[in-house]
Amino acid sequence: MSDVPVKPRKSTDAATATKTQRPPLYKVILLNDDFTPREFVVQVLKAVFRMNADRAYHVMMTAHRRGACVIAVYTRDVAETKAKEATELGRQKGYPLFFTTEPEE
Ligand code: TYC
């Protein structure tokens, strides 16, 4: 075996631990429109974002009343993929349903 000394492990004290890198998170945002049926929005939220019926209905109604609703936060890749998938489900039915993403502050 080599005689090269093994480097000491990095310190894992509190100061170091707080500097541990985490991937930046992205919000997925549901936008209201005047055409997509409420029930269809609920279906998409359940299918793509794994929401139960109550949560999906609540999120849909929040977007309906306020114009938009933050659905969840994910890593950038997951957020963009889910937003695209969900928007595409609406597009396939001819609905203008739209999901967008934006970086979390
Ligand atoms: N506003 C739509 C309607 O009244 C329902 C809807 C809710 C559409 C939320 C999109 O993100 C949305 N049929």
Side-chain angles (χ1 to χ4, degrees):
M1 290 294 280
S2 101
D3 294 319
V4 178
V6 175
K7 249 186 173 178
R9 292 190 65 219
K10 274 194 184 153
S11 133
T12 52
D13 66 13
T16 306
T18 52
K19 286 180 202 149
T20 301
Q21 290 292 313
R22 280 189 294 268
L25 294 177
Y26 280 66
K27 300 183 276 192
V28 177
I29 300 161
L30 167 65
L31 302 182
N32 186 39
D33 68 71
D34 291 339
F35 303 101
T36 308
R38 293 180 184 193
E39 185 46 46
F40 183 78
V41 180
V42 169
Q43 243 179 268
V44 171
L45 292 172
K46 286 159 72 179
V48 178
F49 300 95
R50 320 295 304 175
M51 288 183 197
N52 65 32
D54 284 357
R55 174 95 190 119
Y57 184 80
H58 181 78
V59 165
M60 180 279 294
M61 285 308 294
T62 301
H64 178 74
R65 294 194 180 110
R66 302 168 70 103
C69 181
V70 175
I71 292 178
V73 293
Y74 302 102
T75 55
R76 182 176 178 180
D77 246 38
V78 174
E80 287 175 353
T81 300
K82 283 182 182 285
K84 266 187 206 142
E85 270 175 24
T87 298
E88 177 59 20
L89 289 175
R91 200 198 62 80
Q92 283 169 11
K93 297 264 186 187
Y95 299 136
L97 182 64
F98 196 71
F99 294 79
T100 188
T101 61
E102 77 177 43
E104 209 185 37
E105 317 72 56

